[in-house]
């Protein structure tokens, strides 16, 4: 097999060790004579898989005990509705949203169906190239929650540290869409009220969504919230209020075991920094390529870049593909290129991309 380097933004590359292990176990999990997909979610074997996955996630991400860890469905976009339905069952719910790119824009639009929503920060005024200091945001002291997307997958804008609301005297919980950089760096849980992430960027296959929610936030669901999406019910049933995405949970477990074997979050973060330095360094040293994001907010996971001569885009993509470097086309809303370099992208993949980029530039 000639495995290419896959720079897709998601669903995205999964560690080969994980795929091989899943392959070896596909029809017979641990001598049961049954594949994980075929097992009852109520049986002992799946119970072992679920509990093992929860324990590994809690350990690797150092999730404090006052957070519930949930496996849900519907992806990041469904959480844009599920979060307000779970938190806005209070009088005059108010949601403040910082719009730093396409994903938080969608969160803002969806939250309007459930609450009085305020645009706390508008990155559009800065072409989504930077984020103003949190102290300059329009935050209401009586907000029900504040929403941010900590890594904007399309615009390549990442918070290096989550907003510190407490330091601003704001007691509202911070809700974070961390779909595209979860498990790429340590989480500052003391700043977080709730965090959610679809699995298909950094955790495994599409179809499973992880939610980390403070236990103190479980009692403010709206009456209209569907039971299967109520965090409190899902938590009380260990993510098995209804049939959970069993195979996805198993895969997430394998990915977290792989992370642990890599040396955990500290080791993967060091590797992500090395990959990022290499790629942004190459872009910055060249007049041929450019990335326009404020260096303080550049994403370690999604690196959008433009060619100085945009008429070369198709040729760049075709030659990259021939060199086994796939899915580098930028999102249609921003154009150009985007290299998604999640945890599972090895340093050798970024080295191959950088040498291709330098070679392409030299040949022109
Ligand atoms: C991909 C992504 C989503 C949407 O995920 P779906 O599974 O398609 O709903 C939401 N937020 C962010 C930051 C993403 O990267």
């Amino acid at each position: 097999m000639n495995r290419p380097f896959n720079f897709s933004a998601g669903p995205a590359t999964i560690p080969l060790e994980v795929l091989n292990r899943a392959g070896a176990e596909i029809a017979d999990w641990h001598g049961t004579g049954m594949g994980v997909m075929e097992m009852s979610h109520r049986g002992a074997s799946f119970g072992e898989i679920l509990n093992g996955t929860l324990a590994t996630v809690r350990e690797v991400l150092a999730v404090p005990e006052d957070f519930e860890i949930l496996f849900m469905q519907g992806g990041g976009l469904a959480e844009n509705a599920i979060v307000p339905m779970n938190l806005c069952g209070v009088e005059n719910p108010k949601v403040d949203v910082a719009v730093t790119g396409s994903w938080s824009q969608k969160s803002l639009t969806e939250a309007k169906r459930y609450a009085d929503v305020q645009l706390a920060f508008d990155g559009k005024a800065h072409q989504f190239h930077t984020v103003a200091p949190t102290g300059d945001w329009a935050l209401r002291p009586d907000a029900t929650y504040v929403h941010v997307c900590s890594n904007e997958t399309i615009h390549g804008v990442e918070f290096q540290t989550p907003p510190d609301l407490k330091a601003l005297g704001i007691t509202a919980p911070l809700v974070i869409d961390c779909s595209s950089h979860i498990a790429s760096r340590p989480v500052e849980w003391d700043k977080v009220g709730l965090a959610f992430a679809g699995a298909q960027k950094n955790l495994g296959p599409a179809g499973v969504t992880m939610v980390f929610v403070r236990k103190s936030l479980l009692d403010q669901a709206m009456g209209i919230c569907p039971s299967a999406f109520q965090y409190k019910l899902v938590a009380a049933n260990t993510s098995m209020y209804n049939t959970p995405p069993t195979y996805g949970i198993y895969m997430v477990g394998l990915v977290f075991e792989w992370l642990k074997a890599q040396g955990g979050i500290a080791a993967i973060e060091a590797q992500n920094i090395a990959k990022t330095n290499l790629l942004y360094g190459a872009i910055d040293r060249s007049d041929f390529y450019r990335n326009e994001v404020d260096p303080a907010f550049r994403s370690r996971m999604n690196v959008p870049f433009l060619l100085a001569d945009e008429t070369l885009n198709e040729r760049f993509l075709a030659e990259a593909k021939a060199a086994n470097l796939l899915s580098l086309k930028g999102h249609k809303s921003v154009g150009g290129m985007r290299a998604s370099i999640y945890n599972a992208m090895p340093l050798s993949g970024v080295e191959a991309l950088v040498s291709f980029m330098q070679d392409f530039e030299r040949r022109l």
Side-chain angles (χ1 to χ4, degrees):
M1 178 178 63
N2 181 14
R3 191 168 159 85
F5 291 115
N6 170 11
F7 295 92
S8 168
T13 191
I14 290 176
L16 186 57
E17 296 95 318
V18 168
L19 295 176
N20 283 337
R21 181 157 163 208
E25 296 179 343
I26 193 90
D28 181 11
W29 185 80
H30 295 198
T32 56
M34 242 187 269
V36 176
M37 272 183 267
E38 309 170 287
M39 290 173 180
S40 164
H41 59 297
R42 305 280 173 205
S45 294
F46 185 72
E48 217 180 288
I49 291 169
L50 176 64
N51 291 328
T53 300
L54 284 169
T56 312
V57 171
R58 200 175 280 282
E59 179 191 341
V60 171
L61 287 181
V63 184
E65 283 302 325
D66 51 338
F67 279 82
E68 295 283 0
I69 303 176
L70 312 177
F71 293 102
M72 298 182 71
Q73 299 183 60
L77 279 192
E79 287 302 321
N80 285 340
I82 296 170
V83 169
M85 279 196 287
N86 274 281
L87 299 185
C88 290
V90 298
E91 234 178 279
N92 301 321
K94 296 188 176 84
V95 177
D96 291 348
V97 182
V99 172
T100 54
S102 306
W103 292 111
S104 45
Q105 177 65 57
K106 285 190 205 287
S107 305
L108 175 133
T109 305
E110 188 73 13
K112 283 182 178 166
R113 300 161 65 111
Y114 306 98
D116 165 11
V117 174
Q118 175 163 296
L119 178 58
F121 165 73
D122 185 8
K124 195 162 188 236
H126 311 266
Q127 295 81 46
F128 298 120
H129 289 160
T130 192
V131 181
T134 322
D136 295 343
W137 293 5
L139 296 170
R140 292 173 287 190
D142 58 344
T144 309
Y145 68 89
V146 176
H147 176 105
V148 299
C149 173
S150 49
N151 185 65
E152 287 281 359
T153 320
I154 292 173
H155 291 89
V157 173
E158 181 173 14
F159 285 82
Q160 304 304 318
T161 178
D164 189 352
L165 298 181
K166 278 185 220 123
L168 298 168
I170 288 167
T171 54
L174 181 68
V175 170
I176 304 184
D177 175 358
C178 57
S179 292
S180 52
H181 75 161
I182 184 168
S184 69
R185 52 163 73 225
V187 182
E188 295 174 52
W189 291 107
D190 54 320
K191 295 180 180 171
V192 180
L194 186 158
F196 65 84
Q200 72 270 27
K201 279 62 183 257
N202 237 344
L203 302 182
V208 54
T209 314
M210 294 205 69
V211 177
F212 303 84
V213 56
R214 258 182 212 280
K215 291 176 180 168
S216 58
L217 295 175
L218 293 177
D219 283 313
Q220 52 190 79
M222 299 173 75
I224 59 161
C225 182
S227 307
F229 292 149
Q230 237 183 73
Y231 295 143
K232 191 175 185 175
L233 268 181
V234 176
N237 290 280
T238 329
S239 297
M240 295 210 287
Y241 176 76
N242 66 330
T243 313
T246 52
Y247 198 76
I249 292 170
Y250 158 76
M251 287 294 290
V252 169
L254 295 189
V255 168
F256 272 95
E257 280 175 36
W258 174 84
L259 274 169
K260 210 172 143 177
Q262 304 303 298
I265 294 297
I268 209 79
E269 179 182 40
Q271 159 140 315
N272 287 331
I273 291 170
K275 281 150 52 182
T276 309
N277 287 344
L278 183 61
L279 183 49
Y280 285 112
I283 292 169
D284 288 345
R285 277 193 303 278
S286 142
D287 295 325
F288 192 83
Y289 303 105
R290 72 181 191 284
N291 167 283
E292 299 182 313
V293 177
D294 175 354
F297 287 93
R298 280 177 167 179
S299 170
R300 290 181 187 162
M301 297 282 102
N302 309 98
V303 182
F305 61 93
L306 299 167
L307 274 58
D309 180 355
E310 298 252 290
T311 66
L312 293 170
N313 283 355
E314 290 310 314
R315 182 167 161 198
F316 180 92
L317 289 167
E319 292 189 16
K321 190 174 172 198
N324 250 351
L325 307 168
L326 302 191
S327 296
L328 285 162
K329 192 178 168 85
H331 191 271
K332 58 184 181 304
S333 61
V334 292
M337 308 298 153
R338 171 176 52 174
S340 293
I341 51 173
Y342 299 120
N343 287 346
M345 174 59 66
L347 182 62
S348 58
V350 178
E351 286 167 347
L353 173 62
V354 165
S355 62
F356 166 78
M357 288 167 68
Q358 290 170 342
D359 181 55
F360 187 80
E361 177 177 353
R362 252 193 312 272
R363 282 187 285 109
L364 283 156

